[in-house]
Amino acid sequence: MGGAVSAGEDNDELIDNLKEAQYIRTELVEQAFRAIDRADYYLEEFKDNAYKDLAWKHGNIHLSAPCIYSEVMEALDLQPGLSFLNLGSGTGYLSSMVGLILGPFGVNHGVELHSDVIEYAKQKLDFFIKTSDSFDKFEFCEPSFVTGNCLEISPDCTQYDRVYCGAGVQKEHEDYMKNLLKVGGILVMPLEEKLTKITRTGPSAWETKKILAVSFAPLIQPNHADSGKSRLVHLPPVAVRSLQDLARIAIRGTIKKIIHQETMNKNGLKNPPRFKRRRVRRRRMETIVFLDKEVFASRISNPSDDNNNSEDLEDERQEEEETKPSELKPDPPVNFLREKVLSLPLPDPLKYYLLYYREK
């Protein structure tokens, strides 16, 4: 057992470590990871392990290791407005992070074999929307989950811009997965012990890139023993947003722009200072193994890392000396969007609608 990065004390420190190890490389992916606390997707009695770079499995509930999700998010090259299909959507953790990037006009669908996991994912999604302070920083593409075997998707389903499969794909199912993609789309999946990125460059043209050595539990094959017939999975329809919902998106967007402009003016066009976090020295490992054969990953370590250890330690000592007088934690962030909405001269029901009836 091991992790590609050191364990963090909280979600932000976990993300700091993933950035330092170059698993998270782009700002969009970093924002999505910071917005959703990984511990919220754990059962209460297992939350002590949430910020370790390890996979977690309890019954049918499963989360891949943070470094794997990081590589997947980076490889998908997500952009606002795209359509996304998550095969083996599990707890919905990945789908929710993707939804933060896709924005209100994207499509976010998931297929999950186990109905109890679907219910778990819906509970976690509802908790995020109603309680997370970070929710108001984004316009969210809410995921929709359906129960079924992802190898039995109806042949008349729409194709997607981005597809991820969270279980090991046998070579015989490679073409099936590819056909779920639009031209120009990207598919990321574990194929032949490698996390693989496949880009559809034409109707019958593909580019393939191996990202990382992994070992996922294989896809469960359809079982037709009972009826002898396939149980086709019908994906959710691509719904058009109501005029009321479009108005909410537009109003919230306008208020955010006003808040941003006010902040810029107040700070003299400078970004507000960010709280300086404790620097954690990375411990690179050449072999990483995760529980229950869910994920195995190997990463080539940098030969210069060992030579830099003494420099890292010296840097840490200097930073600790510098930060000792100001080790107090920052005040909790203020939800300016919520405050602005609540101050508007509007009826309370309309204010609550603009805030998605959130509890915080």
Side-chain angles (χ1 to χ4, degrees):
M1 279 190 315
V5 300
S6 301
E9 293 180 3
D10 56 26
N11 195 67
D12 274 325
E13 192 167 294
L14 171 64
I15 308 314
D16 290 343
N17 294 341
L18 290 167
K19 279 190 66 182
E20 188 175 4
Q22 290 294 301
Y23 285 101
I24 293 178
R25 300 179 289 277
T26 59
E27 186 177 351
L28 277 177
V29 171
E30 179 186 352
Q31 289 174 350
F33 268 86
R34 291 196 189 278
I36 299 181
D37 195 322
R38 181 176 167 89
D40 290 341
Y41 287 78
Y42 276 66
L43 293 170
E44 193 65 36
E45 59 267 36
F46 299 103
K47 285 190 175 183
D48 288 346
N49 295 320
Y51 307 121
K52 296 176 181 177
D53 193 23
L54 298 172
W56 172 64
K57 183 174 175 61
H58 181 78
N60 292 326
I61 302 170
H62 169 252
L63 280 167
S64 291
C67 71
I68 299 298
Y69 282 136
S70 304
E71 290 286 7
V72 169
M73 290 280 285
E74 293 288 358
L76 285 170
D77 189 21
L78 297 161
Q79 302 295 331
L82 297 180
S83 57
F84 172 67
L85 177 61
N86 189 353
L87 304 175
S89 52
T91 65
Y93 172 63
L94 177 67
S95 292
S96 292
M97 287 196 293
V98 169
L100 296 173
I101 298 177
L102 297 183
F105 305 112
V107 175
N108 193 356
H109 294 163
V111 180
E112 169 57 43
L113 183 63
H114 304 288
S115 58
D116 60 326
V117 179
I118 290 276
E119 289 306 309
Y120 186 85
K122 289 179 178 178
Q123 291 172 14
K124 296 303 180 183
L125 175 62
D126 188 58
F127 179 81
F128 169 69
I129 291 174
K130 287 187 175 180
T131 69
S132 173
D133 280 326
S134 63
F135 178 82
D136 284 329
K137 298 176 183 176
F138 299 84
E139 290 299 342
F140 188 44
C141 182
E142 186 172 331
S144 297
F145 305 113
V146 296
T147 307
N149 190 309
C150 66
L151 292 175
E152 297 182 300
I153 293 175
S154 175
D156 60 356
C157 81
T158 185
Q159 293 177 315
Y160 290 80
D161 297 302
R162 301 291 186 268
V163 178
Y164 170 65
C165 182
V169 177
Q170 295 85 347
K171 189 67 177 176
E172 66 212 63
H173 297 305
E174 180 179 357
D175 289 341
Y176 170 89
M177 295 293 177
K178 287 179 176 178
N179 287 330
L180 296 171
L181 273 185
K182 294 179 180 179
V183 173
I186 294 173
L187 164 67
V188 178
M189 62 181 177
L191 180 67
E192 296 183 313
E193 306 299 308
K194 297 285 192 304
L195 188 64
T196 305
K197 175 180 178 178
I198 298 176
T199 305
R200 187 168 194 171
T201 57
S204 302
W206 316 86
E207 288 182 358
T208 301
K209 178 183 178 182
K210 304 296 184 182
I211 302 172
L212 194 70
V214 295
S215 180
F216 280 56
L219 282 170
I220 295 176
Q221 302 301 307
N223 183 2
H224 304 150
D226 296 337
S227 62
K229 295 182 180 179
S230 172
R231 300 182 183 87
L232 288 181
V233 175
H234 296 279
L235 297 170
V238 179
V240 177
R241 286 188 176 273
S242 68
L243 182 60
Q244 188 179 30
D245 202 21
L246 291 172
R248 173 166 60 184
I249 293 167
I251 292 169
R252 284 168 61 91
T254 300
I255 294 173
K256 285 179 181 178
K257 288 179 182 177
I258 292 171
I259 293 170
H260 177 70
Q261 189 60 50
E262 289 176 349
T263 303
M264 295 281 280
N265 293 338
K266 184 177 179 181
N267 293 321
L269 301 180
K270 292 181 180 179
N271 292 325
R274 185 180 172 190
F275 176 64
K276 188 173 181 180
R277 300 186 58 81
R278 179 174 62 84
R279 186 171 181 267
V280 179
R281 181 168 58 90
R282 184 175 72 234
R283 292 179 295 172
R284 297 299 297 273
M285 302 179 71
E286 294 188 357
T287 304
I288 305 102
V289 182
F290 302 109
L291 291 170
D292 296 330
K293 284 190 171 180
E294 292 301 332
V295 179
F296 166 91
S298 61
R299 190 84 183 258
I300 299 173
S301 61
N302 188 339
S304 64
D305 282 352
D306 292 337
N307 297 331
N308 292 331
N309 281 349
S310 58
E311 295 177 11
D312 288 342
L313 287 170
E314 181 60 30
D315 289 343
E316 282 183 38
R317 280 194 291 270
Q318 290 178 2
E319 289 187 9
E320 285 174 3
E321 289 297 323
E322 292 171 3
T323 57
K324 270 181 183 177
S326 57
E327 288 245 325
L328 294 176
K329 290 186 178 181
D331 293 330
V334 177
N335 189 326
F336 293 106
L337 178 65
R338 179 178 177 81
E339 289 192 349
K340 183 70 78 173
V341 170
L342 291 176
S343 70
L344 294 174
L346 298 172
D348 285 345
L350 181 52
K351 292 180 183 179
Y352 298 146
Y353 177 77
L354 289 173
L355 294 170
Y356 287 86
Y357 305 99
R358 299 182 65 238
E359 295 173 6
K360 282 193 176 183

